[in-house]
Amino acid sequence: TIIDVVQRAADELFLPLTVGGGFRTIDDMKQILRAGADKVSINSSAVADPDLITRGAERFGTQCIVVAVDVRRNYRMEPGKTPVALADGRECWYEVVTHGGSRATGIDAVVWAAEAEERGAGEILLTSMETDGTKEGFDIPITRAISEEVGIPVIASGGVGTLEHFYTGFTEGKADACLAASVFHYGELTVRQVKEYLAERGIPVRL
């Protein structure tokens, strides 16, 4: 079913199409890319088998491999974890979570993002469970920390509610791209509105 959906979407769209969910093998990736997707996004499967990133990048190119990283704050500091300062003065580290945020992994998100890049990921799609769905803005501390750690594009995700949140994601979070869902799905904002707002404030966008 998903292959048919991808094929129909690829026929209608004239922008890069990324498909995520359920990729466990190189053959899974190949089927979706052949159906018309430009990129595949892997998350839980990459955590379970990090070499999947490497194999995918070697087979299809780094530009095809997006590693989605879901994170949650952990206030129990441990040796070897990357401390991240929060706006309220507290400190935490960010733990990678899988299966929609329901499973903790014990993996440091900053370290994992760097490993994903080293293994051949072409992009990081970063979603913070702390802000996802809140419409209170991106989780800036971890977005900035990972953006400063890696040399590949970082897509900030989780928490957009206003135009300003996009701007903050780029300027304070240092993200290369910002993802939003509900504000577009429910007609609260349009893509054009966001682009014009950002352009007026000096953020390079394609209008």
Side-chain angles (χ1 to χ4, degrees):
T1 302
I2 188 62
I3 289 174
D4 179 58
V5 171
V6 171
Q7 287 174 332
R8 288 188 285 123
D11 287 343
E12 295 292 332
L13 295 174
F14 298 94
L15 76 170
L17 174 62
T18 303
V19 179
F23 298 111
R24 294 181 176 84
T25 67
I26 295 300
D27 190 58
D28 292 339
M29 296 180 184
K30 181 174 70 175
Q31 289 186 59
I32 292 298
L33 292 170
R34 280 187 172 176
D38 298 280
K39 305 178 184 190
V40 295
S41 175
I42 53 177
N43 187 344
S44 300
S45 58
V47 173
D49 177 16
D51 195 52
L52 182 62
I53 304 170
T54 309
R55 299 196 306 272
E58 289 175 349
R59 180 71 178 273
F60 308 113
T62 59
Q63 80 288 344
C64 283
I65 308 300
V66 178
V67 173
V69 180
D70 293 347
V71 303
R72 192 183 301 280
R73 293 174 186 171
N74 190 323
Y75 293 95
R76 297 185 301 276
M77 291 304 302
E78 303 173 15
K81 303 304 184 186
T82 306
V84 178
L86 304 179
D88 61 9
R90 292 184 296 170
E91 195 173 72
C92 70
W93 64 281
Y94 281 80
E95 184 173 10
V96 174
V97 293
T98 60
H99 298 83
S102 64
R103 297 188 190 178
T105 66
I107 298 171
D108 184 299
V110 178
V111 174
W112 173 236
E115 180 180 345
E117 177 184 27
E118 186 177 339
R119 287 182 173 276
E123 296 176 16
I124 298 292
L125 171 55
L126 174 65
T127 304
S128 172
M129 298 294 106
E130 307 295 328
T131 57
D132 194 33
T134 66
K135 293 191 177 181
E136 294 179 358
F138 295 114
D139 193 329
I140 296 300
I142 187 58
T143 304
R144 182 172 55 244
I146 289 181
S147 296
E148 290 176 342
E149 179 68 21
V150 302
I152 55 177
V154 173
I155 305 166
S157 170
V160 165
T162 68
L163 290 168
E164 186 179 3
H165 290 156
F166 289 94
Y167 180 74
T168 306
F170 288 116
T171 55
E172 296 183 22
K174 300 186 178 180
D176 298 278
C178 291
L179 179 154
S182 62
V183 291
F184 294 139
H185 296 330
Y186 298 114
E188 297 166 34
L189 297 172
T190 67
V191 175
R192 183 76 186 185
Q193 272 181 290
V194 174
K195 287 186 170 186
E196 289 177 349
Y197 178 89
L198 293 172
E200 289 169 0
R201 284 154 183 79
I203 303 297
V205 293
R206 192 180 304 161
L207 293 169

